Amino acid sequence: MCGIVGYTGSNPALIVLLEGLERLEYRGYDSAGVALIENGKLHVDKKVGKIRELVKSLWGKDLKATAGIGHTRWATHGEVCELNAHPHTDGEGNFAVVHNGIIENYRELREELERTGIDYRSKTDTEAIVHLIALNYRGDLLEAVINTLKRLRGAYAFAVITTKEPNRIIAVRYGSPLVVGIGKGENFLASDIPALLPFTRDVIPLKDGEVVDLRPDGVFIYDFGGNMLTKEVMHVPWDIISAEKGGFKHFMLKEIFEQPRTLGDTIRGYISRDLNLPFSLKDFRRILIVACGTSYHAGLLGKYWIEKYVRAPVEVAYASEVRYSDMPVGEGDLVLAISQSGETADTRFSSLALKEKGATLLSVVNVMGSALDRESDYTLYTHAGPEIGVAATKTFTAQLAVLYALAVSEAEEKYARMEELLKVPHLVEEVLSRSEVMRGIALRHANNRDFLYLGRYLSYPVALEGALKLKEISYIHAEGYPAGEMKHGPIALIDEKMPTVAIVPKDRVYEKMLSNIEEVLARRGKVIGVGFEGDENLKGLCGDFIGVPEVEEDLTPFLTIIPLQLFAYYIADYLGLDVDQPRNLAKTVTVE
Ligand code: AGP
C-alpha cells in the first residue's frame, strides 16, 4: 500500500532513498519517485514501473542533495502514470509530498483548492496535501503541516520537504505505518523497519496521531495539537542478513526453506517463556478471531485447536466483514486478532472497534512495534523475522505454532503437546528435502488454468491457503473448498482440465476424503494427492502424489501446507512471473 522513505543528514540522500525504496517495493510497485533539495531547488524524478526504472532514469545525474523523500506506489486514486506518481509538488515547486493511505475528503478539498485558482495536475487524493501545506506555510513547516492536518479525513502517512527549510522533513502518521530511524548526524524515515536496517537498528515506530520533525541533528515528535512528546528508542534485534535473499532465486523460496528455523524459534520462544497471559481463555464467554487472507486461514485452524483444548466457543470472521456488522460483542469476549504486519487496516480497525465495545484484545503479530501490537491489550509474537515475499509462507506456519501453543496452554497434557510440536521443525525439514518431487509435479500441471483444492477438518483451511498461494503468485484460478461440500455445487466444474489438489493425511476424515477423491475420478478429474508417506491406498488413487512424514492429526497442517507452498512457487517461477511482487498486490494492506 505504498512505501515512504526519507533521509536528512550529510551523505548523499539519493543512495539512502533508493536502497530504502527497494526494500519497500513489496508494498507497491506500479511507479516510484524521489524529491531532493538540490542546490536550494526541488529536484523531482518519477517513473512508471519498478524502482529499477527510476534508478535507470537517475543514472549519470550527479545529485549531491543531503535531504530528500521517496515513494513506491500502489495506486488507489488515479491510474498508473507519471503524473499520478509521487512525490507531488505545489504550483511554485517549493514543497514535495509523498503519501501512503487515503484522503477520504479529497474531492471536496480539490474543488475548494481549484476555486482558489490552484492548478491541479494529478488525479490523486495526495495532491490536496501539498497544496494545503503550501497555502498554510508562514515560515515554519511543522506549523503548516499541523494546520493542514485539521483539514484531512482518512487514514494516511505522509512526509513533506520544502526548499525553504532544506534539511528538514516533517512526517505524519495517522492510520498508515511510519517508522523513524535514528543515526549519528543523520536521521531516516520509512514505512517499515526492514527498510531502515541497512542504516540503523535504532528506531521509533510512530503512533497514529503523531508528527515527526526530522533534522540531521535531532528528531522531535509532537501530537496533532503541536505538543512535544517523549518517545523511547527501540533497538531492533533483526539483522540485515535475514532481510536478504541468501542465495535463493526469490525471497518466497528462501522464506519457505526458512520454516524449520522460524518454527523452531517461535516454538522454543513459547516453551521457554510461556505465554504470560494474565487470564484463562476459559474466562471468556466467546473467542472471536479476526484476520485477513493467510492470517484468516491460520485463524480457522486456531479455532479447531482452541475448541478442542479449551472447549470454548470460537468464531472466525474476516476483519473487513466484522467491522461493519452488528455482531453483538462486548465485555466478556476475547478478540484474537492475527496479522503478520500488524498494520492491516481491516484487522486493526475492526479489532479496535470491538475493543471499544468492551472486548479484550489479544493479537498475534510478527512485526514488533506495529500498530496492532501497540493497540492490543496483549500481544503474542511470531518469531519469523522479516517476510519480504508478498505471499505469506513462514509467517503462516509461525502463526499456527503460536495458536497451537495458545490452545494447549491450559490443557492437562500441555507439556506432551508442546513436545510433539517441537518435533515439527525437523519434520518440515524432511518435507522440504522432497522439494524436487514437488517441482516435477508442479511443472506437469503448470499449464492448467483452474484448480480445485479439497480438504476436510484441519485440511480444509490448508486447502484454502494452498489455493490462495497459487492464485496470488501464478494468477491461476484456484478454489479451496471443504471436500464434503463439493457435491453441493463445485463438482459440476470437474473435468479432465481441472485438476484437484486433495489434502488427505490419515486423520478422522481420511475415509471420507478417499470417497471424495473417487467422486472426482468418476468425473475424469485428475488428482494430486498430499498425504502420509507410504500411504499406498491414496497413492494408488492419485495421478500425482507427494508424501509428508506421518504425524499426529493436530499437527498435520504444519506439514501438508509445505508442498502446496512449493507447488505455487514452482508454477509461478516456471511461468516466469514476478514471484515476490505479484501484480496488483501489496504486502501490507493499509487501506480498507
Ligand atoms: C498472504 O499471502 C497475502 N499476501 C495476504 O492475504 C495477507 O495474508 C493479508 O493481507 C493479511 O496480512 P497481515 O497478516 O499482515 O494482516
Side-chain angles (χ1 to χ4, degrees), residues 537-556:
N537 240 348
L538 175 64
K539 200 170 171 184
L541 287 177
C542 302
D544 282 296
F545 174 79
I546 178 127
V548 301
E550 203 158 331
V551 69
E552 59 180 50
E553 179 182 84
D554 269 356
L555 303 177
T556 53

Side-chain angles (χ1 to χ4, degrees), residues 277-287 306 310-313 330-334 360 378 410:
L277 293 174
F279 53 73
S280 159
L281 291 185
K282 293 195 177 89
D283 296 343
F284 294 97
R285 189 175 44 206
R286 178 177 51 164
I287 298 166
I306 295 170
V310 184
R311 310 291 310 149
E331 239 172 272
D333 292 323
L334 177 71
T360 301
Y378 308 96
E410 293 169 41

Side-chain angles (χ1 to χ4, degrees), residues 292-295 338-344 347 390-392 399 465 468-469 472 585-587 589:
C292 307
T294 289
S295 300
I338 308 172
S339 173
Q340 182 284 126
S341 59
E343 299 287 350
T344 302
T347 309
V390 165
Q399 287 169 341
E465 177 59 10
L468 178 64
K469 290 291 88 98
E472 281 189 296
L585 298 183
K587 182 74 181 162
V589 185

Side-chain angles (χ1 to χ4, degrees), residues 65-233:
T66 56
I69 51 178
H71 189 267
T72 179
R73 182 171 188 239
W74 185 84
T76 59
H77 294 64
E79 84 252 33
V80 177
C81 63
E82 230 161 78
L83 265 187
N84 291 334
H86 299 217
H88 290 281
T89 52
D90 67 311
E92 305 284 310
N94 287 323
F95 297 83
V97 164
V98 289
H99 160 227
N100 170 24
I102 291 175
I103 304 301
E104 285 169 0
N105 56 335
Y106 76 98
R107 273 204 192 87
E108 162 196 327
L109 293 172
R110 179 177 183 145
E111 280 165 19
E112 182 187 315
L113 288 161
E114 282 181 333
R115 273 200 302 275
T116 68
I118 282 171
D119 189 16
Y120 248 71
R121 277 160 295 173
S122 76
K123 293 260 174 7
T124 64
D125 51 338
T126 307
E127 202 176 325
I129 306 175
V130 72
H131 292 307
L132 285 171
I133 293 174
L135 283 177
N136 284 325
Y137 190 77
R138 308 271 178 282
D140 177 9
L141 188 58
L142 176 67
E143 187 196 318
V145 168
I146 287 181
N147 284 330
T148 298
L149 293 175
K150 295 176 191 144
R151 301 297 323 278
L152 305 180
R153 278 206 317 271
Y156 51 81
F158 68 82
V160 54
I161 52 171
T162 175
T163 51
K164 296 170 187 284
E165 298 174 71
N167 295 317
R168 202 177 182 194
I169 302 175
I170 305 292
V172 178
R173 170 177 178 142
Y174 189 71
S176 299
L178 205 55
V179 186
V180 173
I182 310 291
K184 289 196 177 76
E186 55 183 2
N187 289 302
F188 310 83
L189 193 69
S191 295
D192 73 14
I193 293 174
L196 296 171
L197 292 180
F199 316 110
T200 179
R201 284 164 66 185
D202 293 325
V203 302
I204 306 176
L206 294 185
K207 285 188 183 159
D208 285 344
E210 292 182 346
V211 185
V212 61
D213 180 353
L214 208 73
R215 302 162 184 240
D217 51 357
V219 163
F220 309 93
I221 297 173
Y222 301 85
D223 64 18
F224 279 15
N227 305 301
M228 197 186 278
L229 306 170
T230 312
K231 305 281 291 183
E232 264 181 42
V233 176

